[in-house]
């Protein structure tokens, strides 16, 4: 069984940065970040596999970076140049099998509780 715990959310001014962390217990091939703003559907942010292959949603490329530390079982989301529209609850998710760059929420079996990011 895979358990995911996010941390690092908070409030920041526009143009600022935050780094989210997701501590993962259990084995999984693919990890990803999603976000959900009030009144909106959950959307993919970025995904990464154990081999380091990764993808970032087009609208966030150049600002967001996903990385992983397999030894510590942690996945990070570095968010720079934050905008008010980035305000959302950010969720870490995992699925046991590739492809890790296909970020459809329904294909991810395990989810964290979410961490709030507020940009003003």
């Amino acid at each position: 069984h895979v358990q995911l715990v996010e941390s690092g959310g908070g409030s920041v001014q526009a143009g600022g940065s935050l780094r989210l962390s997701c501590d993962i217990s259990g084995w999984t091939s693919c990890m990803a970040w999603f976000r959900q703003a009030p009144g909106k559907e959950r959307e993919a942010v970025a995904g990464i596999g154990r081999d380091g292959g990764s993808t970032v949603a087009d609208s966030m490329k150049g600002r967001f970076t996903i990385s992983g530390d397999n030894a510590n079982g942690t996945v990070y989301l570095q968010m720079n140049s934050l905008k008010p529209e980035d305000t959302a609850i950010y969720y870490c998710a995992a699925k046991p099998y590739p492809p890790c760059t296909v970020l459809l929420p329904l294909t991810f079996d395990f989810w964290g509780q979410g961490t709030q990011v507020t940009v003003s």
Side-chain angles (χ1 to χ4, degrees), residues 7 31 33 35 69 75 80 82-83 85 96 106 110:
S7 61
M31 290 74 71
W33 288 96
R35 70 184 186 183
D69 182 341
V75 174
N80 299 327
L82 283 162
K83 305 174 183 180
E85 51 263 43
L106 288 178
F110 306 102

Side-chain angles (χ1 to χ4, degrees), residues 26-50:
W27 185 91
T28 183
S29 286
C30 306
M31 290 74 71
W33 288 96
F34 294 82
R35 70 184 186 183
Q36 189 164 18
K40 295 188 177 181
E41 292 186 355
R42 191 166 296 190
E43 67 171 333
V45 175
I48 190 168
R50 282 190 169 271

Side-chain angles (χ1 to χ4, degrees), residues 5-119:
V5 179
E6 303 99 333
S7 61
S11 296
V12 64
Q13 291 188 337
S17 298
L18 282 174
R19 189 177 79 158
L20 305 182
S21 300
C22 177
D23 292 323
I24 303 167
S25 63
W27 185 91
T28 183
S29 286
C30 306
M31 290 74 71
W33 288 96
F34 294 82
R35 70 184 186 183
Q36 189 164 18
K40 295 188 177 181
E41 292 186 355
R42 191 166 296 190
E43 67 171 333
V45 175
I48 190 168
R50 282 190 169 271
D51 62 356
S54 64
T55 188
V56 177
D58 288 343
S59 61
M60 300 162 217
K61 283 181 179 176
R63 299 192 301 124
F64 291 9
T65 304
I66 188 170
S67 60
D69 182 341
N70 287 337
N72 292 323
T74 304
V75 174
Y76 303 99
L77 182 68
Q78 178 67 43
M79 305 185 294
N80 299 327
S81 302
L82 283 162
K83 305 174 183 180
E85 51 263 43
D86 294 317
T87 295
I89 299 175
Y90 284 71
Y91 297 91
C92 181
K95 61 179 178 178
Y97 305 112
C100 299
T101 54
V102 176
L103 303 180
L104 297 174
L106 288 178
T107 65
F108 283 78
D109 299 308
F110 306 102
W111 293 83
Q113 81 287 354
T115 185
Q116 177 71 48
V117 171
T118 303
V119 185

